[in-house]
């Protein structure tokens, strides 16, 4: 992968830099060998390794990676991780890995190791995305100099924002995926009541995630009096996109529409007239089905603020590994300030 980055990444390189994007299911690793040149992307299954250090060292030991670092070493690294990062100790919410950032730095031989929340990194990437790396779904032109919002469903539901200032962009350290889920019609009230049987608190993430799609499926199957085949989320999406299952299509429609509610809430909360960006592992795979869903209508359905949100553009991030752009910029800024 080769991608253009901002001038923040133009600080002097002293050998390749390690970049990582660690989710609850997969850990993605790459090397940045020059400003904006990101290569040797490998995706490792988190479940295959006992610790993040083991996965990272397995990546560094791959023949092509070792060859690229030969004679130079890798002195600097940056990791985006699907978890709050509030101190030295990181315990993942959707996986069993936990680690000390300082101990990981020493164990892997880095001089500088930056570890940030994955949606902080993804938010930092937003101004760096080219037109070919995003797809607009509704709304007008982004307002220059305005905040940007970010939401993305995958293993969990990530939320962040990017706030402009004279000194540059500031990414928000948000856990907005854990806000309480707000039903907006009778179907969603029924889904919420179904979810309450399993969870005392039903957050947005409980429904707007991979396991959330499965929960919506079970709820709608019961509501419609149809058989619950215990389908996993990828199969639900596959059947919906193939037009093979009306129930599965209803699940995806409900998912997209409910995502519109949360994205619209984020838009008015941040005043995100620069646009709302949608990442994560689910929506980009839905393609045209997402574009024709009820997402955009629900996004704008804010009563007196309908016209306000109608002007706010929404973008689906189509770049394959956008978080690498963000962690690269964050690492470059940290090294420049050192």
């Amino acid at each position: 992968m080769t991608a253009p980055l901002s001038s923040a990444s133009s600080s002097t390189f002293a050998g390749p830099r390690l970049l990582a994007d660690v989710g609850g299911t997969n850990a993605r690793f790459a090397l940045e060998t020059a400003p904006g040149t990101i290569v040797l992307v490998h995706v490792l299954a988190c479940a295959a390794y006992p610790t993040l250090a083991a996965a990272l060292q397995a990546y560094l030991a791959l023949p092509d990676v070792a060859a690229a670092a030969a004679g130079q070493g890798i002195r600097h690294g940056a990791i985006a991780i699907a978890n709050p990062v509030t101190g030295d100790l990181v315990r993942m919410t959707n996986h069993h890995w936990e680690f000390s950032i300082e101990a990981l730095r020493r164990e892997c031989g880095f001089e500088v190791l930056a570890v940030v929340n994955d949606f902080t990194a993804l938010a930092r990437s937003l101004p760096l995305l080219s037109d070919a790396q995003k797809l607009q779904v509704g709304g007008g032109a982004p307002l220059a100099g305005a905040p940007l919002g970010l939401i993305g469903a995958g293993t969990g539901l990530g939320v962040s924002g990017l706030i402009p200032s004279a000194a540059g962009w500031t990414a928000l350290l948000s856990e907005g995926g854990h806000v309480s889920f707000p039903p907006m019609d009778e179907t969603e009230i029924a889904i919420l009541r179904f979810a309450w049987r399993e969870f005392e608190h039903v957050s947005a993430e409980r429904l707007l995630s991979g396991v959330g799609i499965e929960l919506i499926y079970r709820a709608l199957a019961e509501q419609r009096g149809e058989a619950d085949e215990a389908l996993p989320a990828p199969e639900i999406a596959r059947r919906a996109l193939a037009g093979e299952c009306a129930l599965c299509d209803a699940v995806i429609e409900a998912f997209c529409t409910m995502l519109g509610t949360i994205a619209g809430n984020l838009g008015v909360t941040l005043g995100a007239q620069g646009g709302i960006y949608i990442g994560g592992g689910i929506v980009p795979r839905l393609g045209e089905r997402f574009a024709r869903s009820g997402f955009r209508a629900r996004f704008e359905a804010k009563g007196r603020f309908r016209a306000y949100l109608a002007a706010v553009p929404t973008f689906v991030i189509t770049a394959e590994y956008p978080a690498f752009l963000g962690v690269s910029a964050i690492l470059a800024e940290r090294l420049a300030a050192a």
Side-chain angles (χ1 to χ4, degrees):
M1 169 188 174
T2 301
L5 301 182
S6 71
S7 59
S9 293
S10 62
S11 55
T12 302
F13 261 65
R17 299 173 180 178
L18 182 282
L19 305 178
D21 176 19
V22 179
T25 304
N26 294 311
R28 304 159 188 86
F29 297 97
L31 292 185
E32 186 174 13
T33 55
T37 302
I38 300 174
V39 297
L40 300 177
V41 176
H42 289 274
V43 181
L44 305 183
C46 295
Y49 300 91
T51 64
L52 174 56
L56 198 158
Q57 290 168 337
Y59 170 76
L60 294 176
L62 292 171
D64 54 353
V65 176
Q72 304 176 82
I74 300 175
R75 297 167 49 198
H76 304 133
I79 298 172
I81 189 164
N83 205 75
V85 180
T86 57
D88 179 68
L89 182 63
V90 179
R91 290 190 177 96
M92 291 187 69
T93 304
N94 292 313
H95 192 60
H96 68 265
W97 286 349
E98 63 177 73
F99 60 93
S100 155
I101 297 173
E102 176 58 19
L104 181 64
R105 182 192 69 79
R106 292 196 305 267
E107 185 175 356
C108 296
F110 295 117
E111 292 181 12
V112 174
L113 176 63
V115 180
V116 299
N117 173 265
D118 61 336
F119 265 71
T120 299
L122 188 55
R124 186 62 185 82
S125 78
L126 300 183
L128 311 176
L129 296 174
S130 69
D131 289 343
Q133 294 174 312
K134 59 188 178 183
L135 174 66
Q136 186 167 351
V137 179
L143 182 64
L148 311 178
L150 171 65
I151 189 167
T155 304
L157 180 67
V159 173
S160 185
L162 205 59
I163 309 302
S165 71
W169 294 100
T170 298
L172 300 179
L173 305 177
S174 173
E175 288 299 323
H178 298 283
V179 300
S180 300
F181 169 71
M184 297 295 291
D185 59 25
E186 293 296 329
T187 296
E188 292 174 11
I189 290 171
I191 292 170
L192 177 59
R193 285 176 173 155
F194 183 92
W196 271 334
R197 298 181 199 169
E198 298 183 30
F199 307 104
E200 179 182 1
H201 175 247
V202 179
S203 66
E205 179 176 273
R206 289 292 188 194
L207 296 167
L208 299 176
S209 59
V211 294
I213 287 175
E214 296 166 9
L215 180 56
I216 296 169
Y217 173 82
R218 297 197 303 273
L220 291 185
E222 179 180 275
Q223 184 183 10
R224 293 173 169 220
E226 298 187 27
D228 176 0
E229 298 183 49
L231 299 177
E235 178 62 12
I236 294 169
R238 188 200 68 77
R239 292 188 186 188
L241 296 179
E244 296 177 1
C245 174
L247 173 59
C248 292
D249 188 70
V251 171
I252 295 303
E253 179 65 20
F255 168 87
C256 294
T257 304
M258 292 189 289
L259 185 66
T261 296
I262 304 301
N265 288 350
L266 182 63
V268 292
T269 299
L270 293 183
Q273 293 178 292
I276 295 289
Y277 287 75
I278 305 158
I282 296 176
V283 170
R285 292 188 175 97
L286 296 180
E288 184 272 337
R289 179 65 184 86
F290 180 76
R292 64 180 172 83
S293 74
F295 167 83
R296 184 68 204 191
R298 179 64 68 80
F299 176 83
E300 297 177 10
K302 288 287 187 285
R304 292 172 294 167
F305 266 68
R306 182 181 297 274
Y308 178 93
L309 283 172
V312 174
T314 47
F315 300 95
V316 176
I317 299 171
T318 57
E320 189 172 13
Y321 301 110
F324 288 151
L325 305 177
V327 288
S328 170
I330 289 168
L331 178 59
E333 290 163 358
R334 186 168 299 189
L335 292 173

